[in-house]
Amino acid sequence: MDRPCGSFDENYKQDSAIIRTRTQWGWLIAFLILLATLPFITSAQILSTLNFIGITLIAVHGLNLLTGYAGQISLGQAAFVAVGGYTTALLNIHAGFSFWAALPVSALSAGIVGLIFGLPSLRLKGFYLAMATLAAQFIIPWCIVNIRPDITGGTSALIVPAPRLGGIVFNSQQSMFYIIMPMAVLVTIFVKNLVRTKVGRAFIAIRDNDIAAEIMGVNIFRYKMLAFFLCSLLAGIAGSLWVSWLRAVDADYFTLQESIWFLGMVVIGGMGSTAGAVMGVTSVRFMDLGVKTAANRLGELYPSAATGIFAGLGPFLFGFIILIFLIFEPHGLMHRWILLKNSYRLWPFSRY
Amino acid sequence: MDTFLQFFISGILNGGIYALIGIGLVLIFKASGIFNFAVGQLLLVGAFATWAFLKWLELPVWLSVLLAMVVAALVGLIIERLVTRPLIGQPVLSAVMALLALSVMLKGVFAFIFGPATVSYPADVLPGTPVSLSGASFSGELTWGFLIAVIVFGIVTLLFYRSRIGLAMRGTAEDHQLAQATGINVKHIFAITWMAAVLVAAIGGIIIGSKVGIGIHFTPLLGVKVIPVVLFGGLESIKGCFVAGLIVGILESIVGGYVDPNLMVITPYAILLLVLLFRPYGLFGQKRIERI
Amino acid sequence: MLELKNIEVMYQNVIYVLKGVSLSVDEGEIVALLGANGAGKTTTLKAISGLLKTEQGDVTRGRIEFMGKKIDHMSPEGIVKMGIVQVMEGQRLFKHLSVDENLRLGAYVRGNRGEVAKDLDMVFNYFPKLKELRNRTSGYLSGGERQMLVVGRALMAHPKFMLLDEPSLGLAPFLVKEIFEILKRINADEGTSILLVEQNAFAALSLAQRGYVMEDGKIVLDGLAQELRENEDIKEFYFGLSSIGQRKSYKGVKHYRRRKRWLA
């Protein structure tokens, strides 16, 4: 149903291709060119939102692998992002690592911390696992703040130097865009392909029926741990980019609230769908931007209620939208998009 | 010795309130198999409602509290009808996500109405005179709160184990379809459970509010601590909830007092991780009866 | 008393299970509903008791009447209140509750009228064994005791009409006999009508006054129990006997069932 009629595969290579028609190639190239030129044509505010989208997308791809594909609920994604962020910051400040050297180390360290907190998944499912990751969400930031406040700055923020490459200093939204976006695109391609391999199929098998998967010979523990590792690995990359982008890091960025937002983006986009993650992140971040703008306007109109509107409108709308999606479209935006495409193709014979 | 007694008893007092809030989670989990992750925000419902009646309408304390109870029950009813009922039969993740979304939404509502600043009750809801016992003295609000918690806990337990509706709730907890075949209106039971749960959360919220004030940021964090408590006691166990509440309260207070006050914040979560690793069904949780 | 008029049932709006079933049960009657696995017997019972709605099934056509009232769109608990109680397959009970609590839940629909103690005595009269087990956790009962408990629980609601789904499932033959005898007594003493779904066709037809045979979502045969017992096809398919009363060789098996499927 995803392709126009008359488009057939003639060999295995075509059969396993992600991009199947010339039109799709055309759209993709046009999109990538547009993406590459965006820094020159958009406002600084939109650009900073786009950068934030790129970073969030990497973290959400990780969470989508773990929750959407492997079916393990995690309420601790923000904490793993924090691990990556702080690793980069500390290596930068105290060990003189460049951003490029700190990035892989951060990813790996977040991945390993993720493995540790993934251990309970050996015995736990559903609510219980959600609670184990909830513990991670409280324990990790606490450790960052309290164990060595002399290094991590405790509750106060650390200043992180901007990444450099040769003579270029990446200290503007525009320049960071060219680090963040290629990274986000690469991660998207990686995840999209990963879920089509043996590993991805094992994840899906575990999600759909873990006992059946085990009987079929899927080593559940190994794959669950792999899912946790990859999830936190991507979180670590996101964290590293995040602090280099903001050029500051503070434990307050990585609260339970942030983890809930990540999960919400996965749900809104459509669980177990790479393109869904992209849609979820993009729509939620732009919604947030819209809400902030609207809240500013409303605040000017009704100065007495300004603080309330500013603090309350975003969370309220976000929670409300997730609920609406859960109740009316649990398959997310991606599912809607596919229905829309199909009904366009089949018009006037479509039902939706 | 006196300092130990001081820490020990204030731990018990705190633990009683954890247990009180926890019983709401246990009831909901038993009846519908859903874990109430929104408990933190639900504390605020009763706490803020009481505050609003006291401050804005300038009602007497008893009436404010009574009206807040009514508000809490209504909120419980609305949550059941609009959030959890449409999700019956959906996967666990949907239920988790729905309650998280609910908590985010409630946070937005509270931030909108009451603003982000911490407020405290204009009048004494619970008597604040410290209570002293053999040289140690304890906060008056906490002592009264503990007494109230124990009484409410007793009432709920009695209702659950001795009344007709409690029996129906326990039946529903076991098997929804069979309960319906027996003539129990499962939807009513869910609604009653949610009303009761938000009600006890409201009582807990008022007690906490009268001790330390109400804030949209820190009050929910106190509520989230109840999650480890409930899990430690065993998700289905009312008795476990009480015992675990006291244990967590005492441990927290002693760790905070003797080791490091900062550690107090994460003690419940450390306990949570240990429980999950070694005894996921908790102290008194049901191991399913499987007859082969 | 109970009448099904040409009902059709679909699950999830796609799976077409009952394709026009009509049957009736009179006051004080015991009627057996026979058929192979997957013929739609349990679905018929669930359509009557309203439990279909808990499994995303729906009565899409036809009507079900109980004492002249249409009940096909009532809620399961409403139907129980009208006096129809289903005893579900597999001796389903509230495992973590005691025997006593299980029985009390059975009386839940009738409100708190203080008659519960009297009803308990009535149930213990039929099933003396349950009295000894009163305070046991029901999950640890044996198969026979469980069956007694589920029938007892249904009795606590004072049903005018009982739907029994395979009460003989997993029980030893002498226990089946005992349970069926008690059912007969209940029918005679309390005047409860019974619609009985059974795999054990012989036992069911010796208890029932009338019987229906279902196949593939339809009633293919009905009549007095006596007639059905004598029916050649029933003998062959359900009792495994040929007309002479011997085991039949498979060589000469009639193609009755297959012919039926073609027509369907």
mmCIF file of all heavy atoms in Angstrom, chain B residues 164-165 167-168 170-171 174-175 177-185 286-287 289 291, chain C residues 54-55 77 80 88 92-97 101 104-105 108-109 111 139 141-143 153:
data_model
loop_
_atom_site.group_PDB
_atom_site.id
_atom_site.type_symbol
_atom_site.label_atom_id
_atom_site.label_comp_id
_atom_site.label_asym_id
_atom_site.label_seq_id
_atom_site.Cartn_x
_atom_site.Cartn_y
_atom_site.Cartn_z
ATOM 1 N N ARG B 164 -19.708 -4.577 51.905
ATOM 2 C CA ARG B 164 -20.168 -5.202 50.682
ATOM 3 C C ARG B 164 -19.443 -4.602 49.480
ATOM 4 O O ARG B 164 -18.991 -5.311 48.588
ATOM 5 C CB ARG B 164 -21.676 -4.970 50.580
ATOM 6 C CG ARG B 164 -22.314 -5.509 49.366
ATOM 7 C CD ARG B 164 -23.823 -5.501 49.551
ATOM 8 N NE ARG B 164 -24.468 -5.669 48.281
ATOM 9 C CZ ARG B 164 -24.832 -4.668 47.501
ATOM 10 N NH1 ARG B 164 -24.632 -3.427 47.889
ATOM 11 N NH2 ARG B 164 -25.394 -4.901 46.342
ATOM 12 N N ILE B 165 -19.314 -3.285 49.493
ATOM 13 C CA ILE B 165 -18.666 -2.633 48.356
ATOM 14 C C ILE B 165 -17.184 -3.007 48.306
ATOM 15 O O ILE B 165 -16.598 -3.188 47.235
ATOM 16 C CB ILE B 165 -18.877 -1.098 48.425
ATOM 17 C CG1 ILE B 165 -18.663 -0.470 47.056
ATOM 18 C CG2 ILE B 165 -17.981 -0.420 49.419
ATOM 19 C CD1 ILE B 165 -19.889 -0.499 46.223
ATOM 20 N N LEU B 167 -15.978 -5.852 49.259
ATOM 21 C CA LEU B 167 -15.932 -7.209 48.696
ATOM 22 C C LEU B 167 -16.019 -7.143 47.174
ATOM 23 O O LEU B 167 -15.277 -7.819 46.455
ATOM 24 C CB LEU B 167 -17.080 -8.033 49.275
ATOM 25 C CG LEU B 167 -17.124 -9.505 48.886
ATOM 26 C CD1 LEU B 167 -15.860 -10.212 49.311
ATOM 27 C CD2 LEU B 167 -18.342 -10.173 49.508
ATOM 28 N N ALA B 168 -16.915 -6.284 46.702
ATOM 29 C CA ALA B 168 -17.050 -6.133 45.253
ATOM 30 C C ALA B 168 -15.762 -5.591 44.654
ATOM 31 O O ALA B 168 -15.346 -6.000 43.565
ATOM 32 C CB ALA B 168 -18.210 -5.203 44.928
ATOM 33 N N ARG B 170 -12.762 -6.074 45.836
ATOM 34 C CA ARG B 170 -11.765 -7.137 45.800
ATOM 35 C C ARG B 170 -12.068 -8.129 44.682
ATOM 36 O O ARG B 170 -11.158 -8.638 44.031
ATOM 37 C CB ARG B 170 -11.702 -7.840 47.155
ATOM 38 C CG ARG B 170 -10.926 -7.004 48.158
ATOM 39 C CD ARG B 170 -10.746 -7.749 49.451
ATOM 40 N NE ARG B 170 -12.003 -7.911 50.163
ATOM 41 C CZ ARG B 170 -12.264 -8.924 50.964
ATOM 42 N NH1 ARG B 170 -11.387 -9.879 51.137
ATOM 43 N NH2 ARG B 170 -13.418 -8.979 51.590
ATOM 44 N N GLY B 171 -13.352 -8.399 44.474
ATOM 45 C CA GLY B 171 -13.720 -9.290 43.371
ATOM 46 C C GLY B 171 -13.308 -8.706 42.036
ATOM 47 O O GLY B 171 -12.743 -9.390 41.183
ATOM 48 N N GLU B 174 -9.771 -9.043 41.047
ATOM 49 C CA GLU B 174 -9.275 -10.346 40.597
ATOM 50 C C GLU B 174 -9.597 -10.646 39.150
ATOM 51 O O GLU B 174 -8.776 -11.196 38.426
ATOM 52 C CB GLU B 174 -9.876 -11.443 41.473
ATOM 53 C CG GLU B 174 -9.328 -11.368 42.848
ATOM 54 C CD GLU B 174 -9.076 -12.728 43.412
ATOM 55 O OE1 GLU B 174 -9.279 -13.718 42.690
ATOM 56 O OE2 GLU B 174 -8.693 -12.788 44.564
ATOM 57 N N ASP B 175 -10.801 -10.354 38.743
ATOM 58 C CA ASP B 175 -11.219 -10.810 37.424
ATOM 59 C C ASP B 175 -12.390 -9.941 36.958
ATOM 60 O O ASP B 175 -13.497 -10.077 37.461
ATOM 61 C CB ASP B 175 -11.631 -12.279 37.518
ATOM 62 C CG ASP B 175 -11.910 -12.881 36.150
ATOM 63 O OD1 ASP B 175 -12.281 -12.120 35.241
ATOM 64 O OD2 ASP B 175 -11.773 -14.099 36.004
ATOM 65 N N GLN B 177 -14.060 -9.748 34.109
ATOM 66 C CA GLN B 177 -15.173 -10.388 33.399
ATOM 67 C C GLN B 177 -16.047 -11.177 34.357
ATOM 68 O O GLN B 177 -17.267 -11.098 34.337
ATOM 69 C CB GLN B 177 -14.636 -11.297 32.299
ATOM 70 C CG GLN B 177 -15.726 -11.699 31.347
ATOM 71 C CD GLN B 177 -15.242 -12.680 30.308
ATOM 72 O OE1 GLN B 177 -14.362 -13.495 30.564
ATOM 73 N NE2 GLN B 177 -15.824 -12.615 29.134
ATOM 74 N N LEU B 178 -15.364 -11.924 35.244
ATOM 75 C CA LEU B 178 -16.116 -12.717 36.204
ATOM 76 C C LEU B 178 -16.939 -11.800 37.115
ATOM 77 O O LEU B 178 -18.085 -12.098 37.444
ATOM 78 C CB LEU B 178 -15.151 -13.567 37.021
ATOM 79 C CG LEU B 178 -15.780 -14.535 38.000
ATOM 80 C CD1 LEU B 178 -16.741 -15.457 37.302
ATOM 81 C CD2 LEU B 178 -14.707 -15.344 38.707
ATOM 82 N N ALA B 179 -16.347 -10.665 37.491
ATOM 83 C CA ALA B 179 -17.077 -9.727 38.341
ATOM 84 C C ALA B 179 -18.343 -9.268 37.631
ATOM 85 O O ALA B 179 -19.422 -9.206 38.232
ATOM 86 C CB ALA B 179 -16.191 -8.536 38.688
ATOM 87 N N GLN B 180 -18.233 -8.996 36.346
ATOM 88 C CA GLN B 180 -19.419 -8.566 35.603
ATOM 89 C C GLN B 180 -20.445 -9.687 35.523
ATOM 90 O O GLN B 180 -21.640 -9.461 35.651
ATOM 91 C CB GLN B 180 -19.023 -8.113 34.203
ATOM 92 C CG GLN B 180 -18.532 -6.698 34.184
ATOM 93 C CD GLN B 180 -18.156 -6.268 32.787
ATOM 94 O OE1 GLN B 180 -17.202 -6.788 32.212
ATOM 95 N NE2 GLN B 180 -18.882 -5.336 32.234
ATOM 96 N N ALA B 181 -19.953 -10.904 35.330
ATOM 97 C CA ALA B 181 -20.868 -12.035 35.252
ATOM 98 C C ALA B 181 -21.579 -12.249 36.581
ATOM 99 O O ALA B 181 -22.661 -12.805 36.631
ATOM 100 C CB ALA B 181 -20.111 -13.294 34.853
ATOM 101 N N THR B 182 -20.946 -11.807 37.665
ATOM 102 C CA THR B 182 -21.575 -11.948 38.974
ATOM 103 C C THR B 182 -22.533 -10.801 39.250
ATOM 104 O O THR B 182 -23.242 -10.806 40.249
ATOM 105 C CB THR B 182 -20.482 -11.974 40.066
ATOM 106 O OG1 THR B 182 -19.382 -12.736 39.574
ATOM 107 C CG2 THR B 182 -20.977 -12.588 41.330
ATOM 108 N N GLY B 183 -22.555 -9.814 38.380
ATOM 109 C CA GLY B 183 -23.507 -8.730 38.547
ATOM 110 C C GLY B 183 -22.913 -7.476 39.155
ATOM 111 O O GLY B 183 -23.644 -6.589 39.580
ATOM 112 N N ILE B 184 -21.581 -7.397 39.197
ATOM 113 C CA ILE B 184 -20.950 -6.194 39.727
ATOM 114 C C ILE B 184 -20.764 -5.203 38.595
ATOM 115 O O ILE B 184 -20.294 -5.567 37.525
ATOM 116 C CB ILE B 184 -19.577 -6.534 40.345
ATOM 117 C CG1 ILE B 184 -19.760 -7.478 41.525
ATOM 118 C CG2 ILE B 184 -18.856 -5.274 40.792
ATOM 119 C CD1 ILE B 184 -18.483 -8.096 42.020
ATOM 120 N N ASN B 185 -21.134 -3.956 38.821
ATOM 121 C CA ASN B 185 -20.908 -2.939 37.804
ATOM 122 C C ASN B 185 -19.473 -2.444 37.939
ATOM 123 O O ASN B 185 -19.153 -1.599 38.770
ATOM 124 C CB ASN B 185 -21.897 -1.794 37.987
ATOM 125 C CG ASN B 185 -21.853 -0.842 36.818
ATOM 126 O OD1 ASN B 185 -20.817 -0.719 36.157
ATOM 127 N ND2 ASN B 185 -22.951 -0.192 36.543
ATOM 128 N N GLN B 286 1.120 -10.175 46.257
ATOM 129 C CA GLN B 286 0.603 -11.495 45.922
ATOM 130 C C GLN B 286 1.545 -12.193 44.964
ATOM 131 O O GLN B 286 1.946 -11.642 43.953
ATOM 132 C CB GLN B 286 -0.741 -11.362 45.212
ATOM 133 C CG GLN B 286 -1.866 -11.116 46.152
ATOM 134 C CD GLN B 286 -3.117 -10.754 45.403
ATOM 135 O OE1 GLN B 286 -3.120 -10.653 44.185
ATOM 136 N NE2 GLN B 286 -4.186 -10.550 46.127
ATOM 137 N N LYS B 287 1.900 -13.406 45.298
ATOM 138 C CA LYS B 287 2.445 -14.250 44.251
ATOM 139 C C LYS B 287 1.226 -14.994 43.721
ATOM 140 O O LYS B 287 0.430 -15.508 44.488
ATOM 141 C CB LYS B 287 3.463 -15.222 44.827
ATOM 142 C CG LYS B 287 4.725 -14.510 45.258
ATOM 143 C CD LYS B 287 5.785 -15.498 45.663
ATOM 144 C CE LYS B 287 6.302 -15.157 47.037
ATOM 145 N NZ LYS B 287 7.220 -16.137 47.564
ATOM 146 N N ILE B 289 -1.690 -17.235 42.555
ATOM 147 C CA ILE B 289 -2.034 -18.621 42.828
ATOM 148 C C ILE B 289 -2.158 -19.330 41.493
ATOM 149 O O ILE B 289 -3.018 -19.017 40.681
ATOM 150 C CB ILE B 289 -3.367 -18.721 43.585
ATOM 151 C CG1 ILE B 289 -3.238 -18.070 44.957
ATOM 152 C CG2 ILE B 289 -3.789 -20.172 43.717
ATOM 153 C CD1 ILE B 289 -4.494 -18.134 45.770
ATOM 154 N N ARG B 291 -2.619 -22.984 39.898
ATOM 155 C CA ARG B 291 -2.899 -24.369 40.213
ATOM 156 C C ARG B 291 -2.785 -25.154 38.923
ATOM 157 O O ARG B 291 -3.455 -24.847 37.943
ATOM 158 C CB ARG B 291 -4.317 -24.489 40.782
ATOM 159 C CG ARG B 291 -4.558 -25.783 41.467
ATOM 160 C CD ARG B 291 -5.940 -25.784 42.076
ATOM 161 N NE ARG B 291 -6.442 -27.136 42.131
ATOM 162 C CZ ARG B 291 -7.050 -27.723 41.143
ATOM 163 N NH1 ARG B 291 -7.243 -27.083 40.022
ATOM 164 N NH2 ARG B 291 -7.475 -28.959 41.270
ATOM 165 N N THR C 54 -17.843 -7.634 26.797
ATOM 166 C CA THR C 54 -16.519 -7.538 27.406
ATOM 167 C C THR C 54 -15.455 -8.127 26.490
ATOM 168 O O THR C 54 -14.280 -8.041 26.781
ATOM 169 C CB THR C 54 -16.459 -8.278 28.741
ATOM 170 O OG1 THR C 54 -16.695 -9.670 28.492
ATOM 171 C CG2 THR C 54 -17.501 -7.770 29.701
ATOM 172 N N GLU C 55 -15.898 -8.757 25.402
ATOM 173 C CA GLU C 55 -14.919 -9.362 24.491
ATOM 174 C C GLU C 55 -15.023 -8.757 23.105
ATOM 175 O O GLU C 55 -14.739 -9.401 22.104
ATOM 176 C CB GLU C 55 -15.142 -10.878 24.427
ATOM 177 C CG GLU C 55 -14.923 -11.511 25.767
ATOM 178 C CD GLU C 55 -15.221 -13.003 25.782
ATOM 179 O OE1 GLU C 55 -15.771 -13.502 24.790
ATOM 180 O OE2 GLU C 55 -14.907 -13.632 26.789
ATOM 181 N N GLU C 77 -24.308 -6.683 34.060
ATOM 182 C CA GLU C 77 -24.809 -6.636 35.437
ATOM 183 C C GLU C 77 -26.329 -6.430 35.454
ATOM 184 O O GLU C 77 -27.025 -6.964 36.320
ATOM 185 C CB GLU C 77 -24.075 -5.587 36.269
ATOM 186 C CG GLU C 77 -24.011 -4.170 35.728
ATOM 187 C CD GLU C 77 -22.852 -3.947 34.767
ATOM 188 O OE1 GLU C 77 -22.159 -4.926 34.420
ATOM 189 O OE2 GLU C 77 -22.662 -2.793 34.345
ATOM 190 N N VAL C 80 -27.847 -9.810 34.929
ATOM 191 C CA VAL C 80 -27.806 -10.595 36.164
ATOM 192 C C VAL C 80 -28.950 -10.157 37.082
ATOM 193 O O VAL C 80 -29.621 -10.982 37.694
ATOM 194 C CB VAL C 80 -26.449 -10.431 36.883
ATOM 195 C CG1 VAL C 80 -26.453 -11.156 38.209
ATOM 196 C CG2 VAL C 80 -25.323 -10.956 36.016
ATOM 197 N N MET C 88 -19.472 -19.499 34.096
ATOM 198 C CA MET C 88 -18.545 -19.548 32.973
ATOM 199 C C MET C 88 -17.718 -20.827 32.947
ATOM 200 O O MET C 88 -17.562 -21.511 33.941
ATOM 201 C CB MET C 88 -17.641 -18.322 33.010
ATOM 202 C CG MET C 88 -18.324 -17.101 32.448
ATOM 203 S SD MET C 88 -17.158 -15.797 32.145
ATOM 204 C CE MET C 88 -16.925 -15.204 33.779
ATOM 205 N N ARG C 92 -14.360 -20.642 36.752
ATOM 206 C CA ARG C 92 -13.712 -19.375 37.093
ATOM 207 C C ARG C 92 -14.168 -18.908 38.451
ATOM 208 O O ARG C 92 -15.361 -18.717 38.690
ATOM 209 C CB ARG C 92 -14.101 -18.310 36.062
ATOM 210 C CG ARG C 92 -13.527 -18.547 34.705
ATOM 211 C CD ARG C 92 -12.350 -17.626 34.412
ATOM 212 N NE ARG C 92 -12.717 -16.227 34.310
ATOM 213 C CZ ARG C 92 -12.996 -15.617 33.162
ATOM 214 N NH1 ARG C 92 -13.009 -16.281 32.047
ATOM 215 N NH2 ARG C 92 -13.243 -14.337 33.132
ATOM 216 N N LEU C 93 -13.231 -18.688 39.349
ATOM 217 C CA LEU C 93 -13.609 -18.107 40.622
ATOM 218 C C LEU C 93 -12.637 -17.022 41.036
ATOM 219 O O LEU C 93 -11.605 -16.827 40.427
ATOM 220 C CB LEU C 93 -13.750 -19.166 41.724
ATOM 221 C CG LEU C 93 -13.029 -20.491 41.583
ATOM 222 C CD1 LEU C 93 -11.605 -20.314 42.029
ATOM 223 C CD2 LEU C 93 -13.708 -21.524 42.421
ATOM 224 N N PHE C 94 -13.031 -16.283 42.075
ATOM 225 C CA PHE C 94 -12.161 -15.234 42.607
ATOM 226 C C PHE C 94 -11.127 -15.925 43.477
ATOM 227 O O PHE C 94 -11.337 -16.166 44.656
ATOM 228 C CB PHE C 94 -12.983 -14.230 43.406
ATOM 229 C CG PHE C 94 -14.036 -13.539 42.586
ATOM 230 C CD1 PHE C 94 -15.373 -13.863 42.722
ATOM 231 C CD2 PHE C 94 -13.687 -12.574 41.658
ATOM 232 C CE1 PHE C 94 -16.333 -13.235 41.965
ATOM 233 C CE2 PHE C 94 -14.650 -11.942 40.905
ATOM 234 C CZ PHE C 94 -15.974 -12.271 41.046
ATOM 235 N N LYS C 95 -9.988 -16.233 42.868
ATOM 236 C CA LYS C 95 -9.047 -17.153 43.484
ATOM 237 C C LYS C 95 -8.522 -16.720 44.839
ATOM 238 O O LYS C 95 -8.265 -17.543 45.690
ATOM 239 C CB LYS C 95 -7.838 -17.330 42.556
ATOM 240 C CG LYS C 95 -8.110 -18.243 41.413
ATOM 241 C CD LYS C 95 -6.829 -18.426 40.616
ATOM 242 C CE LYS C 95 -7.157 -18.842 39.201
ATOM 243 N NZ LYS C 95 -6.141 -18.431 38.264
ATOM 244 N N HIS C 96 -8.313 -15.408 45.007
ATOM 245 C CA HIS C 96 -7.697 -14.985 46.265
ATOM 246 C C HIS C 96 -8.726 -14.748 47.358
ATOM 247 O O HIS C 96 -8.372 -14.434 48.483
ATOM 248 C CB HIS C 96 -6.847 -13.737 46.058
ATOM 249 C CG HIS C 96 -5.641 -13.982 45.216
ATOM 250 N ND1 HIS C 96 -5.614 -13.734 43.867
ATOM 251 C CD2 HIS C 96 -4.429 -14.507 45.514
ATOM 252 C CE1 HIS C 96 -4.433 -14.077 43.379
ATOM 253 N NE2 HIS C 96 -3.700 -14.543 44.349
ATOM 254 N N LEU C 97 -10.001 -14.886 47.034
ATOM 255 C CA LEU C 97 -11.036 -14.724 48.058
ATOM 256 C C LEU C 97 -11.391 -16.094 48.621
ATOM 257 O O LEU C 97 -11.205 -17.117 47.972
ATOM 258 C CB LEU C 97 -12.281 -14.072 47.457
ATOM 259 C CG LEU C 97 -12.094 -12.704 46.797
ATOM 260 C CD1 LEU C 97 -13.451 -12.108 46.466
ATOM 261 C CD2 LEU C 97 -11.322 -11.767 47.691
ATOM 262 N N GLU C 101 -16.492 -15.720 50.835
ATOM 263 C CA GLU C 101 -16.550 -14.432 50.134
ATOM 264 C C GLU C 101 -17.011 -14.611 48.695
ATOM 265 O O GLU C 101 -17.769 -13.786 48.171
ATOM 266 C CB GLU C 101 -15.175 -13.766 50.166
ATOM 267 C CG GLU C 101 -14.830 -13.186 51.521
ATOM 268 C CD GLU C 101 -13.376 -12.770 51.641
ATOM 269 O OE1 GLU C 101 -12.517 -13.372 50.961
ATOM 270 O OE2 GLU C 101 -13.096 -11.867 52.422
ATOM 271 N N ARG C 104 -20.703 -14.879 48.892
ATOM 272 C CA ARG C 104 -21.333 -13.596 49.202
ATOM 273 C C ARG C 104 -21.337 -12.685 47.987
ATOM 274 O O ARG C 104 -22.285 -11.940 47.750
ATOM 275 C CB ARG C 104 -20.596 -12.905 50.346
ATOM 276 C CG ARG C 104 -20.955 -13.482 51.690
ATOM 277 C CD ARG C 104 -20.131 -12.863 52.788
ATOM 278 N NE ARG C 104 -20.275 -13.630 54.014
ATOM 279 C CZ ARG C 104 -21.305 -13.505 54.832
ATOM 280 N NH1 ARG C 104 -22.247 -12.618 54.570
ATOM 281 N NH2 ARG C 104 -21.390 -14.247 55.913
ATOM 282 N N LEU C 105 -20.250 -12.754 47.188
ATOM 283 C CA LEU C 105 -20.234 -11.949 45.977
ATOM 284 C C LEU C 105 -21.343 -12.391 45.032
ATOM 285 O O LEU C 105 -21.899 -11.579 44.302
ATOM 286 C CB LEU C 105 -18.884 -12.075 45.267
ATOM 287 C CG LEU C 105 -17.875 -10.986 45.563
ATOM 288 C CD1 LEU C 105 -16.634 -11.194 44.730
ATOM 289 C CD2 LEU C 105 -18.460 -9.614 45.262
ATOM 290 N N TYR C 108 -24.303 -10.447 45.477
ATOM 291 C CA TYR C 108 -24.070 -9.002 45.417
ATOM 292 C C TYR C 108 -25.239 -8.238 44.799
ATOM 293 O O TYR C 108 -25.668 -7.211 45.310
ATOM 294 C CB TYR C 108 -22.801 -8.721 44.623
ATOM 295 C CG TYR C 108 -22.466 -7.269 44.491
ATOM 296 C CD1 TYR C 108 -21.896 -6.581 45.545
ATOM 297 C CD2 TYR C 108 -22.751 -6.572 43.319
ATOM 298 C CE1 TYR C 108 -21.595 -5.238 45.451
ATOM 299 C CE2 TYR C 108 -22.461 -5.224 43.215
ATOM 300 C CZ TYR C 108 -21.880 -4.566 44.284
ATOM 301 O OH TYR C 108 -21.587 -3.233 44.178
ATOM 302 N N VAL C 109 -25.798 -8.778 43.709
ATOM 303 C CA VAL C 109 -26.852 -8.033 42.997
ATOM 304 C C VAL C 109 -28.110 -7.844 43.814
ATOM 305 O O VAL C 109 -28.917 -6.984 43.515
ATOM 306 C CB VAL C 109 -27.298 -8.747 41.712
ATOM 307 C CG1 VAL C 109 -26.394 -8.395 40.591
ATOM 308 C CG2 VAL C 109 -27.427 -10.219 41.896
ATOM 309 N N GLY C 111 -28.517 -6.898 46.798
ATOM 310 C CA GLY C 111 -28.508 -5.901 47.845
ATOM 311 C C GLY C 111 -28.288 -6.549 49.195
ATOM 312 O O GLY C 111 -28.177 -7.766 49.309
ATOM 313 N N GLY C 139 -8.756 -20.443 45.611
ATOM 314 C CA GLY C 139 -7.795 -20.839 44.576
ATOM 315 C C GLY C 139 -7.174 -22.206 44.824
ATOM 316 O O GLY C 139 -6.666 -22.833 43.906
ATOM 317 N N LEU C 141 -8.808 -24.899 45.982
ATOM 318 C CA LEU C 141 -9.770 -26.006 45.980
ATOM 319 C C LEU C 141 -9.463 -26.976 44.839
ATOM 320 O O LEU C 141 -8.801 -26.635 43.872
ATOM 321 C CB LEU C 141 -11.187 -25.464 45.791
ATOM 322 C CG LEU C 141 -11.716 -24.537 46.877
ATOM 323 C CD1 LEU C 141 -13.159 -24.162 46.551
ATOM 324 C CD2 LEU C 141 -11.643 -25.180 48.243
ATOM 325 N N SER C 142 -10.005 -28.179 44.958
ATOM 326 C CA SER C 142 -9.856 -29.145 43.873
ATOM 327 C C SER C 142 -10.893 -28.860 42.793
ATOM 328 O O SER C 142 -11.822 -28.066 42.997
ATOM 329 C CB SER C 142 -10.048 -30.546 44.411
ATOM 330 O OG SER C 142 -11.423 -30.769 44.652
ATOM 331 N N GLY C 143 -10.739 -29.509 41.659
ATOM 332 C CA GLY C 143 -11.627 -29.247 40.531
ATOM 333 C C GLY C 143 -13.107 -29.418 40.871
ATOM 334 O O GLY C 143 -13.929 -28.569 40.541
ATOM 335 N N ARG C 153 -22.228 -20.237 43.820
ATOM 336 C CA ARG C 153 -22.176 -18.773 43.724
ATOM 337 C C ARG C 153 -23.299 -18.267 42.829
ATOM 338 O O ARG C 153 -23.935 -17.249 43.118
ATOM 339 C CB ARG C 153 -20.821 -18.341 43.177
ATOM 340 C CG ARG C 153 -20.583 -16.858 43.271
ATOM 341 C CD ARG C 153 -19.254 -16.489 42.713
ATOM 342 N NE ARG C 153 -19.138 -16.902 41.335
ATOM 343 C CZ ARG C 153 -17.993 -17.232 40.749
ATOM 344 N NH1 ARG C 153 -16.876 -17.203 41.418
ATOM 345 N NH2 ARG C 153 -17.979 -17.609 39.490
#
